[in-house]
Amino acid sequence: MMVPPTTSQQMGAAYAPMPFAIISFLSSSYVVYHLLFQERQKLKRLYHRLVLAMNLALLPLAFVNAWTTLPAPEGTPNVVGAMGTVSTCTAQGILRMTLSFAVATYYASLILQAFMGIRNNFKEQNYRWIERYIHFVAYCIPCIYAIIFAATDNFNPSGSGCWYAKAPWGCETDPDVACQRGRDIKYFAFVVWFTNIFLYVIFPTSVVFAMGCWMKKTRKESASSGSGMTIMREKVRKEMMHK
């Protein structure tokens, strides 16, 4: 039998994420404002458009996270601050999942565009085509994930808001408590978990490794020219630092 969280733990889960969500909202707002109104000419470059897209996803995500447990159904046991319904909880879960995966996709895409830039000598017209696919992956796949979770009643109160979980709390591990919401989709849930790990860890690490291997190969090929690698490094530095 699982021991329910103490009142202090419940309050911590309900209120601790709020200041971080507010900071995230304000910082993303600044980036969006800066790119749209102060440095709009930078949006001619793919890098800055991806940064803008990532922060446009962060804005509503931070707003949704700031609500923490408020959308959870009123009267939910072991949840402080619950004032919503099953529908509001499901809505929060859908938004959190869709937007969090969108942010992860744009994060991974920043590393991808850096690699493509180096491979194409920073001739953006040669790799600009990846942008449409990045936007597609950022929202379409997470939406499919979220719809499946919502259709199987698997968005329920969990920690600091509504996320993938069965209800009531602890029913998965306590044989004396019957689960009232949430069908068994543990294999699909694993796919979703792996996708998140892939976007934040596996993909960026692999791209950086591939970038290092390519630069090592280029260094060997340009060794005969003496200054070839120095020129390339300086060009890369200027491009990545936006001149």
Side-chain angles (χ1 to χ4, degrees), residues 167-219:
W169 183 85
C171 70
E172 295 177 82
T173 55
D174 191 341
D176 297 327
V177 180
C179 291
Q180 299 173 5
R181 279 180 53 82
R183 283 175 254 172
D184 189 12
I185 54 169
K186 60 181 179 180
Y187 296 112
F188 181 74
F190 174 79
V191 172
V192 175
W193 172 83
F194 180 80
T195 301
N196 206 28
I197 297 299
F198 177 80
L199 291 173
Y200 274 118
V201 181
I202 299 176
F203 181 80
T205 304
S206 300
V207 173
V208 170
F209 179 76
M211 193 184 303
C213 292
W214 185 85
M215 293 186 70
K216 183 178 180 180
K217 178 182 177 182
T218 303
R219 182 171 64 245

Side-chain angles (χ1 to χ4, degrees), residues 126-147:
N126 293 340
Y127 60 93
R128 192 176 294 155
W129 57 269
I130 67 173
E131 185 174 7
R132 65 174 70 95
Y133 296 104
I134 291 171
H135 295 311
F136 176 83
V137 172
Y139 285 100
C140 290
I141 294 179
C143 278
I144 293 173
Y145 285 172
I147 289 171

